[in-house]
Amino acid sequence: MINDKAYALGTNRSCIRDLFEYGRARAAIVGPENVYDYSLGNPSIPAPDYVNQTIRDVLAEMDSLTVHGYTSSLGDMATRVAIAADLNHRYDAGVRPEDLFISCGAAPALCAVFSALAVPGAEILAIAPYFPEYKPFAESAGAIFKVVPPDVPGFQIDLAAVEAALTPHTQAIILNSPNNPSGVVYTEETLSSLGKLLLKKGEEYGHPIYIVADEPYRELTYGCTAPFIPKIYPHTIVCYSYSKSLSLPGERIGYVYVPQQAADSAALFAAVAGAARAAGHVCAPSLWQKVIARCTHLRPDLQSYDRNRRTLLDALTAMGYEMARPDGAFYLFIKAPGGDAAAFSEKAKERDLLIVPGDSFGCPGYFRICYCVSYEMIRKSLPIFAELIQNA
Amino acid sequence: MINDKAYALGTNRSCIRDLFEYGRARAAIVGPENVYDYSLGNPSIPAPDYVNQTIRDVLAEMDSLTVHGYTSSLGDMATRVAIAADLNHRYDAGVRPEDLFISCGAAPALCAVFSALAVPGAEILAIAPYFPEYKPFAESAGAIFKVVPPDVPGFQIDLAAVEAALTPHTQAIILNSPNNPSGVVYTEETLSSLGKLLLKKGEEYGHPIYIVADEPYRELTYGCTAPFIPKIYPHTIVCYSYSKSLSLPGERIGYVYVPQQAADSAALFAAVAGAARAAGHVCAPSLWQKVIARCTHLRPDLQSYDRNRRTLLDALTAMGYEMARPDGAFYLFIKAPGGDAAAFSEKAKERDLLIVPGDSFGCPGYFRICYCVSYEMIRKSLPIFAELIQNA
């Protein structure tokens, strides 16, 4: 008498999480310095000192009932004002505080948006390679989850493939740029071509097709900027998290932005709030709302990520590995030597090198590494990468 | 092309929240000292100083990556160990750390439990008066929500009414003790009679009927103790929050406890974790997990609540108001003079006295007041209560 799907999701855990737990267990046996764990995107840059100082300031300056009390379920107005001001400063985007819903990170934000869009028969498209949790999120919301094949080897967006996947039931397409797992940043050109296609098909179908922009990596770019998608395509709903930009993944603080110019924006915003309510959202963690209100100007210190990125890119390319152009996030998505990513990953695992096969991202034949790790670990792991490609 | 139910939940906000917002708006006009807002259960006792000191200690002693990083989705083991130890110390309950799932407060915990139990046709019973959000939580999980009529005037549990409501589809009955809105604590006798009935009917139906014990008010009792329900009935799932006991309602930290002795406990625990995952649960706020691990021994300082409680109880009773015996939580549930609680509450609202009609708790003819307010406000509001009953 237990729900099958919930049980399955609780027992068939994500292969990434499994690998991460395996890494912890191995570390206990062989020592953490001998496990080369590239499995999980847990930031290796600490949160800026300013964040912890702001916590202390908030505790010192504000009364406890305000700091820890319920906020409006939509979020503290001061937090919404600060986030809107920062977005407008950066993107001149016309964001109003009332367009922002403060969420417990990006994951429940996505779930609420999918639920808000889950009319009967609704289809949600993802573009391979994609973050695997999109599938349970969309399906649990009651939508049909469909995958657009990858645009190999550049990992931009194959427009013909998108067009082939669109139907009158398509409610949204989820984009993740900078991308997990490919590290690719979708270009302005890619996004505006996609926007044109979606506008055309939306007119044809008589209803808008939304872009859901999952943007936890927005600020993690190297030598380029991730375009702010609502400026390119009006029917864009942004789901954001401070997990990566401020290295606060465990703290669960982010937002949904429903732009005024998006079709049915007021109803959509209400539905997002309603869907969140139905999932037990009361408010985002209150102390963190106060802290974020004072920290929207902070940007990640990307130096160490960039050193890792360049070190791996140069070394692995020299060894003969091929990969997508890693302009953002903290991932490399690499073609598996020999073509079988699962087999290659298993061999790597035997050497305590933990990498994630691309199959779970909808893109077999590739594997993902997260380079948000110590430089020392990278340095020590390179000979294993060399050995693995030689023996492949 | 927007989901109807989500839209409805986002626009028809809870009448409690509406009244609360109204109170804020009125306060801006007539001054906060002239609004007598008894609408919302936002604790008026600040969090113990020890909590804020623990935040500072955690920030000083632990490295930032650990404090703010992802934890296991089930929760930090140190937190689970500390909570289990505290429960075992108090109730000798045999709680194992691995039976605890750390959640973002009680609300998403309840949603996850309902989803885990939502097999096709599943019915979930609540006992009037009940917390109104149970209905959207249960229905969004896919279950049928049914209400057992109240046991007037004592507001214990009418066993004959429960028996009449049970069917072979009943998966669970949700209990909330100390109760919101009645302030009543279910007695050991009530709970053990209910347990016997559920065991008997469970055998008859060939499957267990779970008690879901929603216990944010567990420690808020005056002159009595709330029985720990898993000790009375084995198939009890506890959903707990630190919102009230530590006055941290905005911080979203609590847990689900699935006792080992509950039927199918391992599968049920997995399904709870899976259902939470499908709703975007990644982990409970990480800093708060660290803080709770060091604060499980803290108990609320109930002196000011108790003074409020006794002051209102004595004064209102002397005026002729009748109410349930308020042994717990911070609510009084009062018979509306004249019988029409909505009309009475409207009249009160005209005098800027904000009280919640019992209709939304499934119990017309009564109104709720939250006495987690300032003593000064109570004192100033008493003449209005007197006037209202005289004119009723």
Side-chain angles (χ1 to χ4, degrees):
Chain A
M1 301 290 280
I2 287 168
N3 181 285
D4 293 342
K5 287 178 190 164
Y7 177 74
L9 282 172
T11 41
N12 306 326
R13 295 182 58 194
S14 89
C15 84
I16 299 170
R17 281 271 171 179
D18 275 349
L19 206 56
F20 174 68
E21 304 282 357
Y22 174 83
R24 285 198 174 184
R26 278 298 287 170
I29 299 168
V30 301
E33 70 284 7
N34 297 312
V35 178
Y36 311 104
D37 184 354
Y38 287 100
S39 67
L40 194 68
N42 216 348
S44 58
I45 297 176
D49 289 341
Y50 192 89
V51 168
N52 285 350
Q53 188 51 49
T54 303
I55 295 176
R56 291 187 199 95
D57 293 348
V58 166
L59 295 179
E61 292 164 21
M62 298 177 79
D63 82 285
S64 176
L65 292 176
T66 306
V67 173
H68 303 305
Y70 289 122
T71 72
S72 159
S73 61
L74 306 176
D76 253 346
M77 191 42 86
T79 309
R80 299 161 82 194
V81 165
I83 294 170
D86 176 60
L87 289 173
N88 292 334
H89 172 69
R90 283 196 276 167
Y91 304 113
D92 187 22
V95 179
R96 303 175 309 169
E98 58 267 40
D99 303 330
L100 297 168
F101 175 89
I102 312 299
S103 67
C104 297
L110 289 167
C111 292
V113 170
F114 290 165
S115 293
L117 294 174
V119 296
E123 294 173 0
I124 288 171
L125 298 190
I127 293 168
Y130 65 89
F131 179 54
E133 294 296 283
Y134 293 158
K135 186 173 173 353
F137 291 172
E139 290 179 347
S140 297
I144 296 157
F145 182 73
K146 290 174 67 176
V147 178
V148 177
D151 177 41
V152 176
F155 294 107
Q156 291 288 319
I157 297 174
D158 179 344
L159 284 190
V162 171
E163 185 156 9
L166 290 169
T167 79
H169 293 292
T170 309
Q171 279 275 74
I173 180 163
I174 178 156
L175 300 189
N176 175 220
S177 174
N179 185 265
N180 173 9
S182 75
V184 162
V185 178
Y186 293 144
T187 64
E188 180 103 24
E189 193 194 339
T190 296
L191 293 165
S192 89
S193 305
L194 176 67
K196 276 177 203 146
L197 172 65
L198 296 181
L199 279 180
K200 189 188 80 176
K201 299 299 283 188
E203 265 180 41
E204 188 183 318
Y205 299 150
H207 66 81
I209 301 163
Y210 294 96
I211 287 179
V212 179
D214 176 28
E215 301 205 330
Y217 304 102
R218 188 196 295 150
E219 289 81 8
L220 278 67
T221 53
Y222 311 94
C224 68
T225 305
F228 191 62
I229 307 178
K231 296 272 282 186
I232 298 174
Y233 182 71
H235 313 307
T236 299
I237 307 157
V238 175
C239 295
Y240 183 80
S241 164
Y242 290 93
S243 292
K244 319 296 179 179
S245 61
L246 296 186
S247 293
L248 301 171
E251 304 298 5
R252 315 315 304 141
I253 184 83
Y255 60 81
V256 181
Y257 165 47
V258 182
Q260 206 182 352
Q261 70 269 23
D264 295 324
S265 59
L268 188 55
F269 187 90
V272 169
R277 176 183 166 193
H281 170 93
V282 176
C283 61
S286 169
L287 171 62
W288 285 107
Q289 293 194 52
K290 271 68 179 172
V291 171
I292 292 298
R294 301 181 184 199
C295 289
T296 53
H297 64 287
L298 297 181
R299 300 289 167 261
D301 170 8
L302 297 177
Q303 272 196 323
S304 71
Y305 288 155
D306 197 26
R307 182 168 75 147
N308 289 356
R309 186 182 75 98
R310 283 181 292 104
T311 303
L312 280 161
L313 180 63
D314 294 349
L316 297 181
T317 305
M319 291 175 200
Y321 286 97
E322 294 167 40
M323 67 201 74
R325 185 176 154 157
D327 284 339
F330 36 49
Y331 303 105
L332 298 181
F333 202 53
I334 304 170
K335 207 168 165 178
D340 183 340
F344 186 82
S345 302
E346 269 309 307
K347 272 193 198 153
K349 196 172 166 187
E350 286 165 19
R351 303 296 312 273
D352 289 321
L353 177 71
L354 307 184
I355 58 181
V356 182
D359 305 61
S360 51
F361 305 105
C363 196
Y366 283 76
F367 64 89
R368 183 189 81 168
I369 68 179
C370 297
Y371 58 78
C372 46
V373 296
S374 76
Y375 185 71
E376 179 64 11
M377 185 189 113
I378 291 176
R379 214 187 45 72
K380 286 179 65 185
S381 72
L382 289 176
I384 304 176
F385 278 108
E387 208 185 297
L388 286 167
I389 196 171
Q390 278 154 20
N391 298 334
Chain B
M1 299 291 279
I2 286 167
N3 182 286
D4 293 342
K5 286 178 192 165
Y7 177 75
L9 282 172
T11 41
N12 306 326
R13 297 180 60 194
S14 88
C15 84
I16 299 170
R17 281 270 172 180
D18 275 349
L19 205 55
F20 175 66
E21 304 284 357
Y22 173 84
R24 285 197 175 186
R26 277 298 287 171
I29 299 167
V30 301
E33 72 283 5
N34 296 314
V35 178
Y36 311 103
D37 184 355
Y38 287 101
S39 68
L40 194 68
N42 216 348
S44 58
I45 298 177
D49 288 340
Y50 192 89
V51 168
N52 286 350
Q53 189 49 51
T54 303
I55 295 176
R56 292 187 197 95
D57 293 348
V58 165
L59 294 179
E61 292 164 21
M62 297 177 81
D63 82 285
S64 176
L65 293 176
T66 307
V67 174
H68 303 305
Y70 290 123
T71 71
S72 159
S73 59
L74 307 176
D76 253 346
M77 192 40 88
T79 309
R80 300 160 81 194
V81 165
I83 294 170
D86 176 60
L87 289 173
N88 292 335
H89 171 70
R90 283 197 275 169
Y91 304 113
D92 187 22
V95 179
R96 304 174 309 170
E98 58 266 41
D99 303 330
L100 296 168
F101 175 89
I102 311 299
S103 67
C104 297
L110 289 167
C111 292
V113 170
F114 290 166
S115 292
L117 294 174
V119 296
E123 294 172 0
I124 289 171
L125 299 189
I127 293 169
Y130 65 90
F131 180 54
E133 294 296 283
Y134 293 159
K135 186 173 177 341
F137 292 172
E139 290 179 346
S140 297
I144 296 157
F145 182 73
K146 290 174 67 175
V147 178
V148 177
D151 176 41
V152 177
F155 294 107
Q156 291 287 318
I157 298 173
D158 178 344
L159 284 190
V162 171
E163 185 156 8
L166 290 170
T167 78
H169 294 291
T170 308
Q171 279 276 74
I173 181 164
I174 178 156
L175 299 189
N176 175 218
S177 174
N179 186 264
N180 173 8
S182 75
V184 162
V185 178
Y186 293 145
T187 64
E188 179 104 22
E189 193 193 338
T190 295
L191 293 165
S192 88
S193 305
L194 176 67
K196 276 178 203 145
L197 171 64
L198 297 180
L199 279 180
K200 188 189 79 175
K201 300 299 283 188
E203 264 179 42
E204 188 183 319
Y205 300 150
H207 65 82
I209 301 164
Y210 294 97
I211 287 179
V212 179
D214 176 27
E215 300 204 331
Y217 304 102
R218 188 196 295 149
E219 290 82 7
L220 276 67
T221 54
Y222 311 94
C224 69
T225 304
F228 191 62
I229 307 178
K231 295 273 283 187
I232 297 174
Y233 181 69
H235 313 306
T236 298
I237 307 158
V238 175
C239 295
Y240 183 79
S241 165
Y242 290 93
S243 292
K244 318 296 180 180
S245 61
L246 296 186
S247 293
L248 301 171
E251 304 296 5
R252 315 316 303 143
I253 184 82
Y255 59 81
V256 181
Y257 165 46
V258 182
Q260 206 181 353
Q261 70 270 22
D264 295 323
S265 59
L268 188 55
F269 188 90
V272 168
R277 177 184 165 193
H281 170 93
V282 175
C283 62
S286 169
L287 171 62
W288 284 108
Q289 293 195 51
K290 270 69 179 172
V291 171
I292 292 298
R294 300 180 184 199
C295 289
T296 53
H297 64 287
L298 297 180
R299 298 290 167 261
D301 170 8
L302 298 177
Q303 272 195 323
S304 71
Y305 288 154
D306 198 25
R307 183 169 73 150
N308 289 356
R309 185 182 76 98
R310 282 181 292 105
T311 303
L312 280 162
L313 181 63
D314 294 349
L316 297 182
T317 305
M319 291 175 200
Y321 287 96
E322 295 168 40
M323 66 201 76
R325 185 176 154 156
D327 283 340
F330 37 49
Y331 304 105
L332 297 181
F333 202 54
I334 305 171
K335 207 167 168 179
D340 183 341
F344 186 82
S345 301
E346 269 309 307
K347 272 194 197 152
K349 196 173 165 187
E350 286 165 17
R351 302 297 311 271
D352 289 320
L353 176 71
L354 307 183
I355 58 181
V356 182
D359 304 62
S360 51
F361 305 105
C363 196
Y366 284 76
F367 63 89
R368 183 189 81 167
I369 69 178
C370 299
Y371 58 79
C372 46
V373 296
S374 75
Y375 184 71
E376 180 63 12
M377 184 188 113
I378 291 176
R379 213 187 44 73
K380 286 178 65 185
S381 71
L382 288 177
I384 304 176
F385 278 107
E387 207 185 297
L388 285 167
I389 197 170
Q390 279 155 20
N391 299 332

